[in-house]
Each structure stands twice: as structure tokens, then as C-alpha cells.
Amino acid sequence: MTGTLRRWVLAVTVAVFTNLALFLAVLPVQVSRMGGSRLQVGEATAFFSAGTVACELLVALLATRVSMALLLAAGASLMGAGTFAYLLAADSVPAMLVLTAVRGGAFGINVVTGSYLVAAYAAPAERGRALGIYGLAVSVPAIFGVSLGLLVQSAQGPQLLYVVGGLPALLVGLGFAVFVLRRPPPPVTAPRFHPPALPTLLPVAAVIGLITMTYGALVSFGPALVAGGGTAAAPLLFFVFGVLRAASRPVAGFAVDRAGALLVSVISALLVAGGCAVLAAWPRGAGLVGGAALFGSGLGAISNAGYVAMLERIEDSGHALATATWSAAFDGGVMLGGAVFAVAAQAYGIGAVAVLLPVVGTLAWLTMTADWARLRLAPG
């Protein structure tokens, strides 16, 4: 990848993931303020993730017909334009949900094309470093973005956020499209999804899905869960969560090389389960900070370790399938978490979220531990 192309891809990635972070917790809060039910609050997260999963799968079909670089530019532009369109939704919750699904689809396009371009154009000897830099571009916006979005929403209302949050993704996406049309990147082989033994990936995919169900619940109902801690509680929750999630990713990569991906995945799932339990039982003060730290550390670590565990189970020719399976499990879990926890909150109140959160987190840890034990005890 040339220096200019690399900088463009990283700029698009930062703009898109900043947009994601700014609105991750803002949209559920805004839907609630617009008079939406608890079910619709959860749907704000579920609709976004549904669009993401659908377009992650769609990219595989489009990749043989359209430049991956142009798809990346189109996804960023659509995400920015969709954010601006919130201004037209006025007080319509259904319109907000539809636009959220559109933004989710745009994000799904960027998730697949961005990581693919970085890996495809990096020299083999530099691929690890290139993906590491890409990982920072993905995770750093979440450190400040979620908390900043909530603070701006509280102080200025959402309209300013729609403009400021949408403009960078739209402009960078359009700029990258012009760059690609004027200087097309060298051709690369389009990703192909070979059919290796998919069942070998399913145990880890199930764990990722369960863990991101709790993440979907946190995004949707975290502000309500910690409301007793005061107006600064939700921004603090997501700030601590974001810092530890970003910091744990390189640490997990170091640990995977020495202890193995499966063991690190077991420990990561345990951290998530512990964070869920602490936040559910003690959602203020030291409990809020400690729970967010455990949760963020576990999610960041298993984002690396779980992915490597999938790659280790199949031949190199199946790595594209492993990537698609991991992405679908992650975003599908967020979608399912938003929907399932929304139904529970609608029927039984926010207390149901506090009960279910540690249950699902513990189930993820038990599933990961069982898979690790099964492979440890397997002959040979």
C-alpha cells in the first residue's frame, strides 16, 4: 500500500469509527427522550447492527464487481449523509430507526473493506504492524467518542452533534472517492469465501456473540443502569470502558503469542462476566469504574484472542470465512443483545437488564471454558 493510499484508508477509518462512537450511546438516549418505548430504545442498537451484518455479507458479493476502495469511500460517505439526515427525522422514532439501519449498513461496508485493504496491500513482512496501526485507528475513537457524544447531547442537544458528527465521514469519504477515481489502486485479488469446516469456528463464534450481546445491552441501557450515579455516570462509564478496551488489545496480542489464543480467550470472557456482575450489583462509584474496566478489558482482549483462535482452526484458504464469521458473530451479538434486553426491559423494567447481564456474561465464559477444556483433553 502506498503511503498516500494508507493515509487515506486510515483517515476514512478514523472518521467512520468516530461517527460510530459519538452516536453509540446517544441514539438510545435520544429515542427515549423522543418518547420511544424501552423496546424502541433497544431497537436503536439492534437496527444499527442488523444493517451492519447485512452489508458485511453483501460486500462479499459486490467485491467481485466493484473496487473495494470505492466501496470504502461509498460507505463512509453514506454514514456521514445518514447522520445529517437525522436532522430531518424531527420527532419521528421510526424514521430515526430506519436511518440508524442505513448508517449500520454503511458501517458494515467500512468494517470489511477497511481491514481487507490494509491486509491486501501490506507487504507480508509488514502486515502485522499495518493491522496494528489499523487497530489503533479503530479503537482510539471509542476512548473519548462515546462520552463526548453524551456530554454534547446533554449540553447542546443532538442537532449540533448530527452536523459535527456527520461532516468528517461525509467529506473524507467523498475526498477518498475522488482520489481513487483519479489514481486507482493496483488491482488485488477479491476476497473469496472458501468452504472449510465451518463447525470448528462455531464455539468461538458463539462466545463472541454472547459477549457482544452484553455489549449491545450496555450501549442501549448502560446510561439507565448507572443513572443513580448522577449525570456524569454514563460518560464516565463509557470513558473507562473505552480506555481499557483500547489498551487491552495490544496486551492481548502479546499474551496470545506466549500463552495461546484459547487460554487468553477464557481469561477475557471471565473479565467480561466479572464486569457484568459488578455493574449489575454496584452501578455507581468504585463499582461503576471497576465494572467498566473489567468489561472493557475483556471485550478488547477477546476481540484479538477470539479472532486468532478462529484463524488457528482452519487452513489459510479459509481465513476469509473466519473473518466474515467473526464479524457476523460480533455484530449479530450486538444486534441480538439490543433486541433481547429491550424486550426484557419493556416487560419487566430496567431491573431485568441488571439480572440478565451477568447471566449472559457467565454463559459466555462457561462456553469458552468448555471449548478450551475439550481441546485440551482431546487425543493428540
Side-chain angles (χ1 to χ4, degrees):
M1 183 183 289
T2 65
T4 305
L5 179 59
R6 182 186 299 112
R7 286 190 290 272
W8 269 112
V9 171
L10 290 176
V12 171
T13 300
V14 170
V16 165
F17 277 84
T18 299
N19 183 291
L20 169 72
L22 285 173
F23 293 96
L24 200 60
V26 160
L27 289 177
V29 172
Q30 186 60 26
V31 168
S32 178
R33 290 180 177 178
M34 291 167 64
S37 65
R38 287 196 175 107
L39 185 62
Q40 289 173 317
V41 169
E43 286 174 347
T45 301
F47 273 49
F48 185 93
S49 297
T52 299
V53 173
C55 285
E56 283 171 343
L57 301 175
L58 181 62
V59 166
L61 301 177
L62 295 177
T64 59
R65 300 174 176 84
V66 183
S67 160
M68 293 288 273
L70 280 178
L71 282 175
L72 179 66
S77 302
L78 181 59
M79 196 161 184
T83 305
F84 272 109
Y86 283 137
L87 291 167
L88 305 177
D91 294 325
S92 172
V93 171
M96 290 285 290
L97 295 177
V98 170
L99 289 172
T100 297
V102 171
R103 285 181 58 250
F107 179 71
I109 293 172
N110 279 270
V111 167
V112 177
T113 55
S115 58
Y116 174 76
L117 286 170
V118 171
Y121 284 109
E126 300 176 354
R127 189 163 292 160
R129 184 175 62 180
L131 289 172
I133 295 172
Y134 176 77
L136 286 175
V138 165
S139 58
V140 167
I143 295 176
F144 303 102
V146 181
S147 299
L148 181 61
L150 288 169
L151 290 172
V152 172
Q153 181 188 39
S154 177
Q156 301 291 334
Q159 286 74 22
L160 176 64
L161 205 56
Y162 297 154
V163 175
V164 175
L167 194 60
L170 178 61
L171 293 181
V172 173
L174 292 175
F176 184 48
V178 172
F179 170 80
V180 171
L181 291 172
R182 294 180 62 182
R183 297 172 57 184
V188 294
T189 303
R192 300 185 183 278
F193 294 89
H194 302 286
L198 180 61
T200 63
L201 304 177
L202 294 182
V204 180
V207 172
I208 296 295
L210 287 168
I211 284 176
T212 54
M213 278 185 68
T214 64
Y215 177 50
L218 185 73
V219 168
S220 298
F221 298 104
L225 192 65
V226 303
T231 57
L236 178 62
L237 167 71
F238 288 110
F239 176 74
V240 174
F241 176 88
V243 169
L244 270 296
R245 182 184 178 186
S248 66
R249 295 188 72 154
V251 174
F254 181 85
V256 163
D257 290 339
R258 285 152 181 79
L262 268 180
L263 180 58
V264 176
S265 295
V266 171
I267 296 171
S268 303
L270 180 60
L271 290 174
V272 170
C276 289
V278 172
L279 284 173
W282 192 11
R284 57 181 59 83
L288 184 152
V289 173
L294 288 171
F295 201 152
S297 297
L299 182 61
I302 205 163
S303 295
N304 278 12
Y307 181 50
V308 174
M310 282 189 174
L311 294 179
E312 290 177 347
R313 296 184 180 208
I314 56 177
E315 299 176 356
D316 289 351
S317 61
H319 282 185
L321 179 62
T323 302
T325 302
W326 186 91
S327 297
F330 191 103
D331 295 310
V334 176
M335 174 184 66
L336 192 59
V340 169
F341 280 83
V343 171
Q346 177 73 11
Y348 303 106
I350 198 67
V353 174
V355 171
L356 284 177
L357 202 60
V359 171
V360 177
T362 301
L363 181 59
W365 172 64
L366 291 174
T367 304
M368 193 72 253
T369 302
D371 188 56
W372 172 75
R374 177 182 63 84
L375 293 177
R376 289 270 296 181
L377 296 174

